[in-house]
Amino acid sequence: MSTAKKHTVFDTRKEVDFVIVGSGASGGILARELSTAGFDVVVLEQGPYRTAKDFSHDEIDVMLRNDMMEHPSWKDPQTFRATATEIAEVTRDGVTPPALYARGVGGSSVHFTANYWRFRPVDFNERSLLGPISGTGFADWPISYEELEPYYTRVDWEIGVSGAPGPFDAPRSRPYPVPPLPVKSSGVLLEKGAKKLGLHAQPAPMAILSKPHNNRPACMHCGFCMGFGCEANAKSSTLATMIPQAEATGHCEIRPLSTVYKIETNDAGRATEVAYIDAKGAQQAQKTKAVIVAANGGETPRLLLMSESSKFPNGLANSSGLVGKYLMANAHSLSQAFFVEPLNEYKSVQVTRIIHDFYENDPARGFYGGGGIDARAFIQASPIFFSETGLPPGAPRWGKAHKDLLRHNFTRRMALLGSATSLALESNNITLDPDLKDAVGRPAMRITYHDHPDDLAMATFLQDRGVDLLEAAEANTIWREPVLPTNVLAHLLGTCRMGADPKTSVVDPSHRSHDVPNLFICDGSSLVTSGRGQPTMTIQALAFRASELIADAARRGEI
Amino acid sequence: MKNTKSSRRSFISASGALAGGGWLALNAPMLLAAGHAAAKHKSTEKGWSNISAQQARTFAAVVDQIIPPDESPGASDAGVVYFIDNVLGGFMADAEGLLKKGLEELDRQAAASSPARPDFASLSFDQQTELLQMIESTEFFNTMIFLTHCGMFAMPSWGGNRDLVGWSLVGFDNRHAWQPPFGYYDALAVAGEADHVDG
């Protein structure tokens, strides 16, 4: 008897209930929730369907050649500029692109570092608390932390988060399902520095299992998390959690190597089908009753802008003109240090302890912002990146002295990463490049980004505190990486923001687009504020919540 | 129009100050050949695939200047030249012209310095060092540093890191599965807690 898994296949010419564009952090949840509720769902994913057995620790393939991030079938270049007065420069082949995201089933949840901080109540209503900030789109969310809390708890339990409550955490209705991952030397040293300075290092919430949970195994501590896929299925990607459950319902087809280029609409202004290039390079279109775009904060606005028509000349769902605007990346800063004894940061997960003492805005600082500090190996966890970027400025770059530095310090280094707020600015955005197209004629994603001065001030503040912490922990060498305007964006947030007013937002509080009644948008683009640096937990809580609201609306016949 | 791929791709040193926010990325001289050309590796038995014997000789001398042999093997003993030969047929194909021109120039300068020194590799170690110090900020030499690091520390399947000498050098233990304690400080902390409980 065959044990081969039966895959559900839907006919492109027959209407399904939902097409979901993207299978990542949010798309995977939407697929599982809606198919479990009995709806027929097709998920279009531009990347390949890798599984745990396909992942490797090859630093060249994964980290240098961007195997997880490149389009699988053709070049899909991006362009970047800091301000609208510049002509955007194309990213050279092989250089890390400005908008960082993985392509493949599970999306960036496959290669992410898996920091799972919840937002706090203040992240939802800070505009009301602080008042306006001139020149920015700083705004409250139309929903509160309390409304989202049950869905954060679902992420904890159904996605799988390891952790323990910290002294400043927002209220939670249920404990973490599994305890924190074992502390690493970097975490112990952060605790040591924090104690001396009167700060509070707390266990890091991570979407990596410390104990078996939901039929998945605990982490083997291999050390290849950041940028790599997990071959043990201990990292709680949607590939390891939601996607198999969605497929098991018999109501969900994951269609990989499917690059969407347009959402088609009819004269009534409703979405009718989703056009894409299939694995063989042929044009296809899947008919559907409703569309959910969950393609990430870069690809989602790109697709909506590409879906212009005579009825929607500025792009789909864009009557506000805000599709692609208010891009937020979270500002970052990094300091590195060497210690006397080996830490061996190349082992186990990236982060085991974090500092949230600076989460809140503090007017005494003289600028808006808040953030967190985490102790981690960073990209120098693996030896090529260490040899290229893990030595202090002025260190010999070659020769015997260089070799001795590599020999002594690979096991003795750690980093502190500061992650901060980004203010929403209209001038930071995703647009279609007017000149450059990919191999199938889709306009390239153009990123325009220059941090608000307060974002960089906050990142610098966190770096200063990081250096204090490293000194208090008795590091013997400490250095700062320059805090410069962001030109590589690992977080793509805010580009189809949620709001009650169609003039100032793209989706309503249930993620339905204001302009197209059967078009929903749910991913990082929905965020109104950036949080303090770790957005995925919130993106996924939104996805659980949106799934419920969308399913209810469908059952009521209101889609 | 600036919005096209520059024909002359410039290299950015990864070892100096990283570009703005660029520590999120490695702005290293990563050049991809069109598509994902498979890296072919057939050099050890039948000679070199993508370089001449003379180029291999000069490469060996240069990479040994970057990571010299001491109590542990240097870059050429680690197989870095095999790595370079391999990746010049794959993802570093675009750097071939730059590298070969750089090697020729080194050999030319060596020969010019003395009739008894026909090429760079026949200079003394210190003479080689002096020559490289004069070009250490060039695109060629930054690429050589990058390739030496890659060849030293990449998985051996790429042709370098022979017998894991690169990983042994830095203390990267090739096990890929661990249990705590991971390092000195967490071991100490756990022992301290145990003492505390006992006492």
Side-chain angles (χ1 to χ4, degrees):
Chain A
M1 204 172 88
S2 170
T3 55
K5 200 161 58 174
K6 271 175 72 180
H7 283 286
T8 308
V9 178
F10 291 108
D11 187 333
T12 54
R13 293 157 300 178
K14 288 189 182 147
E15 254 186 8
V16 291
D17 294 310
F18 294 99
V19 166
I20 301 175
V21 183
S23 67
S26 63
I29 290 173
L30 288 152
R32 186 259 216 162
E33 289 294 290
L34 293 169
S35 60
T36 302
F39 296 104
D40 287 341
V41 177
V42 169
V43 180
L44 299 173
E45 165 56 53
Q46 62 177 317
Y49 201 148
R50 300 182 194 90
T51 58
K53 67 178 172 9
D54 300 316
F55 298 131
S56 96
H57 291 179
D58 190 322
E59 216 185 333
I60 288 189
D61 276 343
V62 179
M63 294 298 278
L64 294 175
R65 299 175 71 202
N66 298 335
D67 261 11
M68 310 272 278
M69 299 197 284
E70 302 255 315
H71 193 282
S73 308
W74 59 80
K75 285 196 184 306
D76 184 16
Q78 302 173 358
T79 62
F80 181 87
R81 58 186 184 172
T83 66
T85 58
E86 300 166 21
I87 294 171
E89 294 274 3
V90 66
T91 306
R92 288 175 297 125
D93 290 350
V95 173
T96 309
L100 277 186
Y101 54 93
R103 304 188 210 222
V105 176
S108 295
S109 75
V110 170
H111 81 159
F112 69 5
T113 309
N115 290 287
Y116 262 44
W117 309 354
R118 290 183 179 203
F119 280 16
R120 293 195 201 162
V122 69
D123 289 304
F124 298 87
N125 63 3
E126 200 166 25
R127 157 70 182 79
S128 289
L129 296 171
L130 301 181
I133 297 177
S134 142
T136 76
F138 190 36
D140 284 348
W141 291 56
I143 60 172
S144 66
Y145 174 81
E146 290 70 25
E147 280 174 86
L148 207 52
E149 198 286 332
Y151 305 99
Y152 278 123
T153 296
R154 289 192 65 187
V155 177
D156 278 346
W157 284 81
E158 294 175 50
I159 295 290
V161 182
S162 303
F168 311 109
D169 286 7
R172 56 172 52 244
S173 55
R174 203 179 170 191
Y176 284 98
V178 287
L181 288 142
V183 68
K184 294 174 57 167
S185 282
S186 57
V188 168
L189 291 165
L190 186 67
E191 280 180 355
K192 178 180 175 179
K195 260 181 207 152
K196 279 198 201 166
L197 299 176
L199 303 173
H200 305 80
Q202 68 183 80
M206 303 293 286
I208 297 170
L209 296 180
S210 61
K211 304 269 189 226
H213 177 67
N214 288 348
N215 300 315
R216 289 192 295 120
C219 174
M220 307 271 293
H221 310 291
C222 76
F224 288 80
C225 295
M226 188 178 180
F228 292 84
C230 179
E231 70 272 26
N233 274 334
K235 190 196 278 187
S236 304
S237 66
T238 55
L239 176 69
T241 57
M242 299 286 110
I243 300 283
Q245 297 173 31
E247 289 184 302
T249 64
H251 289 290
C252 177
E253 180 189 349
I254 306 288
R255 212 172 278 167
L257 301 171
S258 301
T259 301
V260 175
Y261 61 89
K262 191 167 189 186
I263 299 166
E264 303 285 0
T265 49
N266 62 15
D267 291 343
R270 292 177 59 87
T272 54
E273 59 183 33
V274 180
Y276 64 98
I277 313 282
D278 72 10
K280 291 174 182 156
Q283 294 188 349
Q284 301 282 358
Q286 175 67 53
K287 292 193 185 305
T288 184
K289 291 177 186 157
V291 177
I292 306 176
V293 188
N296 81 38
E299 290 280 26
T300 289
R302 181 189 187 195
L303 173 60
L304 295 173
L305 295 172
M306 282 193 291
S307 299
E308 62 174 16
S309 61
S310 53
K311 194 166 180 66
F312 299 104
N314 300 321
L316 208 51
N318 197 23
S319 65
S320 64
L322 290 176
V323 168
K325 304 270 177 69
Y326 295 139
L327 176 62
M328 300 175 287
N330 295 121
H332 290 91
S333 57
L334 191 78
S335 45
Q336 300 200 58
F338 295 151
F339 284 83
V340 175
E341 300 290 345
L343 287 70
N344 297 327
E345 286 298 295
Y346 71 91
K347 300 177 184 177
S348 196
V349 301
Q350 280 277 332
V351 184
T352 61
R353 289 293 181 274
I354 59 174
I355 298 272
H356 270 181
D357 292 78
F358 310 110
Y359 197 96
E360 302 282 338
N361 181 66
D362 180 358
R365 291 182 201 134
F367 47 83
Y368 164 78
I373 296 170
D374 70 60
R376 65 167 71 190
F378 208 58
I379 51 174
Q380 296 84 1
S382 42
I384 296 175
F385 273 72
F386 166 71
S387 62
E388 285 284 308
T389 65
L391 297 179
R397 296 167 55 230
W398 56 287
K400 165 73 174 157
H402 175 68
K403 185 181 182 186
D404 285 339
L405 283 174
L406 296 180
R407 174 188 277 138
H408 188 72
N409 290 305
F410 173 69
T411 57
R412 289 176 171 81
R413 73 162 282 287
M414 64 172 276
L416 291 185
L417 181 67
S419 303
T421 36
S422 290
L423 280 164
L425 300 174
E426 267 201 71
S427 53
N428 288 342
N429 51 54
I430 300 287
T431 49
L432 303 179
D433 193 280
D435 302 314
L436 188 67
K437 291 185 167 45
D438 75 356
V440 297
R442 298 183 309 156
M445 186 188 299
R446 179 173 66 178
I447 297 101
T448 306
Y449 202 85
H450 193 275
D451 311 72
H452 189 280
D454 286 12
D455 303 346
L456 295 177
M458 188 65 215
T460 305
F461 174 87
L462 292 171
Q463 189 180 56
D464 292 343
R465 300 293 77 74
V467 169
D468 294 345
L469 284 158
L470 290 166
E471 282 172 358
E474 295 170 29
N476 62 9
T477 307
I478 301 169
W479 72 101
R480 298 158 185 263
E481 300 297 340
V483 180
L484 296 169
T486 302
N487 61 4
V488 172
L489 293 80
H491 301 160
L492 301 163
L493 310 173
T495 48
C496 294
R497 66 158 48 172
M498 178 195 282
D501 183 352
K503 291 196 185 66
T504 57
S505 60
V506 178
V507 294
D508 74 11
S510 70
H511 294 266
R512 194 194 295 253
S513 70
H514 291 300
D515 301 347
V516 182
N518 64 340
L519 173 68
F520 298 82
I521 302 162
C522 182
D523 55 19
S525 72
S526 310
L527 273 61
V528 181
T529 58
S530 69
R532 267 60 179 174
Q534 301 301 348
T536 310
M537 177 44 137
T538 296
I539 291 169
Q540 294 197 313
L542 290 173
F544 273 115
R545 179 178 169 276
S547 301
E548 222 171 83
L549 297 169
I550 293 168
D552 285 349
R555 284 191 205 100
R556 291 194 306 263
E558 291 174 6
I559 289 181
Chain B
M1 183 167 96
K2 288 169 81 182
N3 215 351
T4 53
K5 191 184 297 178
S6 64
S7 56
R8 179 84 176 99
R9 292 168 173 141
S10 63
F11 287 78
I12 300 166
S13 167
S15 356
L18 292 162
W23 42 261
L24 266 174
L26 181 66
N27 276 326
M30 276 309 304
L31 300 181
L32 285 169
H36 285 235
K40 50 182 195 277
H41 184 214
K42 52 185 179 186
S43 50
T44 44
E45 295 302 318
K46 297 179 180 173
W48 305 101
S49 297
N50 298 297
I51 60 178
S52 69
Q54 175 58 36
Q55 286 162 345
R57 178 177 152 86
T58 311
F59 267 133
V62 174
V63 301
D64 267 352
Q65 284 287 322
I66 293 167
I67 298 190
D70 50 13
E71 66 265 32
S72 72
S76 64
D77 282 343
V80 168
V81 182
Y82 291 101
F83 171 85
I84 294 173
D85 180 49
N86 183 26
V87 299
L88 284 180
F91 74 91
M92 289 296 290
D94 287 359
E96 183 175 348
L98 170 78
L99 292 176
K100 290 184 175 174
K101 190 162 163 285
L103 295 183
E104 275 171 31
E105 181 62 16
L106 285 177
D107 283 341
R108 194 192 59 73
Q109 288 185 25
S113 68
S114 151
R117 306 288 188 199
D119 68 358
F120 180 77
S122 51
L123 296 177
S124 73
F125 191 87
D126 289 346
Q127 286 172 323
Q128 292 175 3
T129 306
E130 277 176 35
L131 207 51
L132 293 178
Q133 278 166 347
M134 293 191 290
I135 62 157
E136 66 179 348
S137 58
T138 59
E139 192 176 331
F140 163 70
F141 194 62
N142 285 330
T143 306
M144 285 306 308
I145 291 176
F146 174 72
L147 285 173
T148 304
H149 285 151
C150 288
M152 201 70 194
F153 300 119
M155 283 191 167
S157 52
W158 287 94
N161 193 11
R162 183 182 292 157
D163 302 327
L164 309 186
V165 297
W167 289 349
S168 302
L169 170 67
V170 296
F172 174 87
D173 199 344
N174 185 39
R175 275 173 53 186
H176 304 262
W178 303 98
Q179 287 302 316
F182 307 114
Y184 175 86
Y185 299 97
D186 54 302
L188 202 65
V190 169
E193 275 171 29
D195 288 350
H196 188 69
V197 171
D198 292 346

